[in-house]
Amino acid sequence: MPTLILVRHGQSQWNLENRFTGWWDVDLTEKGVAEAVAAGELLAAKNLLPTRAFTSLQTRAIKTLHLALEACGRLWIPETKDWRLNERHYGGLTGLDKQETRDRHGDEQVHVWRRSFDVPPPVMEDGSDYDLAADARYAGIEVPRTESLKLTIERVLPYWENEILPVLASGETVIVSAHGNSLRALVKHLSAISDDDITGLEIPTGQPIVYEFDADMKCGERQYLKDR
């Protein structure tokens, strides 16, 4: 039966430094590399071997995918990279230390920016150090200036419906290596989680989540692979 594996990238350097990352391209830490390898080793141990892969255009997700696939002997499978699986764009908060931002704007305001469903952070200014408008990987793409979780979902779900779901429905075992908020979008949809509840859902780094689908492409409960 079709099986979907979701993996949030391993710890990144800015995860470690407690900074807002969003679309900025940050590499994995040593711990992040180890988490990605461990995810692949778990896939091998559970004999859950992907046949198709999808990931974002961001290094931390791509490297996590490759490390996990190498660890389970599946580095050769077809993979597709797409910006619509990128992390939520944190706008003007990108690069800022989270605690310093709380000190400056207050806990309540930062909580709204981080955890509300439909309130985006301040817009990133043109010419910001973290402005990606001229990045070659986004040529021809209108890079967001900021995104709420709602806006992130509005780009992730059409990609799921049009690109990932048809591959899954053909009987493939699909792995998606992505980010906390792009994966929240998928989990919200697949597990029918409310707008209010999804903002509180934490998706840990490097821990594969599994959904199994029946012949009618209805999915069961989400499971962490380590618990199967």
Side-chain angles (χ1 to χ4, degrees), residues 52 54 82 84 158-168:
R52 288 287 299 274
F54 293 84
D82 198 281
R84 284 164 291 192
Y159 186 72
W160 158 258
E161 296 283 354
N162 296 326
E163 303 296 335
I164 302 176
L165 188 58
V167 171
L168 196 62

Side-chain angles (χ1 to χ4, degrees), residues 11-12 14 19 45 48 72 74 80 98-99 111 113 128 133 136 138-139 147 155 182 184-185 187 189 191 211 222 226:
Q11 184 193 65
S12 75
W14 280 16
R19 298 167 73 181
L48 183 59
C72 67
R74 288 282 169 159
T80 303
K98 291 177 183 177
Q99 187 55 53
H111 182 77
W113 286 332
S128 161
Y138 301 118
E147 286 181 311
R155 63 167 157 86
S182 50
R184 270 195 190 96
V187 170
H189 174 70
S191 294
Y211 286 94
R222 76 180 183 276
K226 64 183 176 62

Side-chain angles (χ1 to χ4, degrees), residues 19-174:
R19 298 167 73 181
F20 290 101
T21 312
W23 277 40
W24 193 247
D25 206 30
V26 178
D27 209 343
L28 298 175
T29 61
E30 287 186 15
K31 178 181 178 182
V33 169
E35 288 175 334
V37 171
E41 290 173 345
L42 183 60
L43 290 170
K46 298 286 188 176
N47 197 33
L48 183 59
L49 301 177
T51 58
R52 288 287 299 274
F54 293 84
T55 189
S56 71
L57 296 184
Q58 299 183 268
T59 297
R60 56 195 185 272
I62 296 168
K63 279 195 174 179
T64 295
L65 175 64
H66 291 173
L67 289 164
L69 290 179
E70 185 173 20
C72 67
R74 288 282 169 159
L75 196 54
W76 50 269
I77 68 171
E79 74 178 66
T80 303
K81 303 181 183 76
D82 198 281
W83 68 272
R84 284 164 291 192
L85 292 174
N86 276 19
E87 177 59 289
R88 169 189 173 190
H89 196 297
Y90 271 102
L93 300 183
T94 303
L96 297 181
D97 176 275
K98 291 177 183 177
Q99 187 55 53
E100 288 178 359
T101 308
R102 291 189 194 97
D103 294 342
R104 184 181 309 170
H105 296 284
D107 288 345
E108 185 174 341
Q109 180 61 71
V110 173
H111 182 77
V112 169
W113 286 332
R114 291 191 68 197
R115 293 302 189 188
S116 66
F117 181 69
D118 56 2
V119 179
V123 170
M124 179 178 286
E125 295 180 5
D126 290 338
S128 161
D129 289 344
Y130 303 112
D131 188 349
L132 291 166
D135 191 305
R137 84 190 78 185
Y138 301 118
I141 295 167
E142 186 175 347
V143 176
R145 313 308 295 172
T146 186
E147 286 181 311
S148 61
L149 178 56
K150 181 174 183 288
L151 290 172
T152 306
I153 290 169
E154 287 174 2
R155 63 167 157 86
V156 172
L157 284 192
Y159 186 72
W160 158 258
E161 296 283 354
N162 296 326
E163 303 296 335
I164 302 176
L165 188 58
V167 171
L168 196 62
S170 71
E172 304 274 7
T173 298
V174 173

Side-chain angles (χ1 to χ4, degrees), residues 1-8 39 42-43 46-50 160 168 172-176 183 186-187 190-191 203 207-213 219-228:
M1 286 299 181
T3 303
L4 175 67
I5 305 158
L6 305 177
V7 182
R8 183 183 175 191
L42 183 60
L43 290 170
K46 298 286 188 176
N47 197 33
L48 183 59
L49 301 177
W160 158 258
L168 196 62
E172 304 274 7
T173 298
V174 173
I175 184 169
V176 178
L183 293 179
L186 291 176
V187 170
L190 293 169
S191 294
I203 297 179
Q207 288 289 340
I209 296 170
V210 178
Y211 286 94
E212 293 180 334
F213 291 75
C219 68
E221 295 293 318
R222 76 180 183 276
Q223 296 177 289
Y224 281 99
L225 182 58
K226 64 183 176 62
D227 299 327
R228 286 181 54 171

